Every structure is written in structure tokens, then in C-alpha cells.
Amino acid sequence: MTDLKGKCALITGSVQGIGLAVAEAMAEAGARIAVHGLATQDEAAAVCAGLLQKGAEAAEFFDADMRDPDQIETMLAAVTAWGPVDILVNNAGIQRTAALEDVNREIWDSIIAVNLSAAYHTMHGIMPGMAERGFGRVVNIASVHGIVASKNKLPYVASKFGLVGMSKVAALEYADAGSKSSGGVTVNCIAPGWTETAIITPQVAERAEKFGGDRDKGIADLLSEKQPSKRTSDPSEIGALALWLCARQAHNITGTVIPVDGGWTAQ
């Protein structure tokens, strides 16, 4: 259903985890992939080579510190020259856990800059071109913490709630761009719950120790606190959803927040 041949996708934070899974899904659909993230030259080259093997029309690494608007602007200029961006996936993100009284200015500014402001800068720079061409897909990787809150995550929750709100406004402003035949311009959020990425590995290992090293029991125990399914999601499942949102048939799906959270936010 989703053929992305001839389309160019910029995916921030795409050298590992969810971002890489999204890049792989879009590579398999034939897109040109603009890769971004924290990586050495060798690591970036390996990611690009892997995407080419999966079917990407082309894959190239673009570097930028997402805390720095000037670097983002420079990156966008380079990506746009390489191939006008048809698909933007804002996945780059950081998290620090701390109580409100312990959140200093550096923690607040960094998380808001990467998780929220960077998405504003990329959308601001790319979406007008999408409207001119009549097709565009923006998929913002939010979080269950863009729907509900948790203790000790104030900047992260604020950034993800902000990302959801910003996405809804952009969806409304661009809702009538393009047409059914061209595919239109849409903006949606995916809100993952517990997902099998490196960030949860220490928590899973610690919890598994309670069950003699049984990882599955450790995961079920950890997730039982919030995620009713007691199952994690695989990054490839997030990638498949992001790909589906890029289909031409999804032209009327915009302004949504789609949880992938095993019922967490249904409670």
C-alpha cells in the first residue's frame, strides 16, 4: 500500500532505536533517507549502507546539534538541496529524570530544545515546501507522556505535551493543502509506551534480577505498574505505523495522537 519511491524522508535521531526502525521501514518502501543522529563517521556510514541494502533509493547522513537552531537551518538547507523533503519524522529526543526542585536550567533548556523547539524549526523550514508540492507527511514521535504525566519527568512531559499541541495546530493550518489525488499534507503524533530500546535495558535488567534473571517476567513486572498488556513494543512496530501514516490513503488522517502503549493511556 505504501510505495515511497521518489519520496525523500528526513528522520531525526535515526541512527538507533525507534528512529532507525522508522528509517528501515521507509527504506524498504524505496524512499531516499536523510539520516541524522549522534554518530561517528563509521557508524553513520554503516547505517546508510544498511538502509541501502534494505531498498532505500539513496541514504546520506546529515549532522546537526538539535539544540542549535543555526545548525538545524544549515542541515535543512543541505537536505533540501539533496532532495526536497516529502516526509519529516521528528524522533530526536532526550530525557532526564529528576524532581521539580532538582531540575536546573540546563536540564530544562536542553530537553525543551531537543524535544520541542527542534521539531518547530524542522516543521517551520520544511512544511511550506510540502504544501507547494501538494504532498507531505510529518510524523512526530511523542510519547505516552504527551498524553499523561509521571513524576520526576517535568521537562520531558512538558516537551511532549507541547509537541502534541504544536502538531495539532500545524495539522489544522495545512489541512487543506494539496488534494486527495496528490495526497495532501498531514501532521500526526505517535505516542509509544514501553518500547524495546537501549534506554530501558538497565531498568529491565534490574527488574529481571527479582526473578532469577528471567527477562520476560522482569518486563511483565515492570510494565504492570502502567502498561496493562505487560508487553513491550518493538521499534519495528513503530516504524510500520509511521510508514502507514505516509500512505496516500492516509490523506485524511491528520492532527491525531496514536498511542502504542498496551492500554496505558486508556485507563
Side-chain angles (χ1 to χ4, degrees), residues 37-152:
L38 299 174
T40 65
Q41 287 187 339
D42 288 345
E43 290 168 341
V47 169
C48 290
L51 295 173
L52 291 172
Q53 288 180 345
K54 287 187 175 293
E57 180 183 338
E60 189 165 328
F61 180 75
F62 296 86
D63 194 17
D65 183 338
M66 301 307 281
R67 297 170 298 181
D68 186 338
D70 291 335
Q71 289 195 36
I72 294 172
E73 184 176 349
T74 299
M75 178 184 71
L76 294 182
V79 174
T80 301
W82 183 67
V85 177
D86 304 292
I87 298 162
L88 169 64
V89 181
N90 282 306
N91 172 71
I94 57 176
Q95 181 181 172
R96 290 277 299 276
T97 56
L100 170 59
E101 62 184 314
D102 298 320
V103 174
N104 59 34
R105 184 182 299 176
E106 185 275 329
I107 293 173
W108 172 267
D109 288 347
S110 294
I111 292 175
I112 295 299
V114 175
N115 295 5
L116 180 58
S117 297
Y120 153 73
H121 292 301
T122 57
M123 292 165 66
H124 181 266
I126 288 173
M127 291 193 70
M130 291 178 171
E132 289 176 7
R133 295 186 297 276
F135 177 86
R137 295 290 184 267
V138 178
V139 180
N140 290 326
I141 306 301
S143 166
V144 291
H145 288 115
I147 303 172
V148 295
S150 290
K151 292 180 179 178
N152 301 323

Side-chain angles (χ1 to χ4, degrees), residues 227-266:
Q227 190 151 312
S229 69
K230 301 181 184 178
R231 300 187 302 271
T232 57
S233 297
D234 188 85
S236 65
E237 296 160 11
I238 310 300
L241 176 55
L243 177 62
W244 178 75
L245 288 171
C246 293
R248 194 173 302 277
Q249 294 90 331
H251 66 94
N252 261 338
I253 301 172
T254 194
T256 68
V257 184
I258 304 176
V260 186
D261 64 2
W264 181 339
T265 56

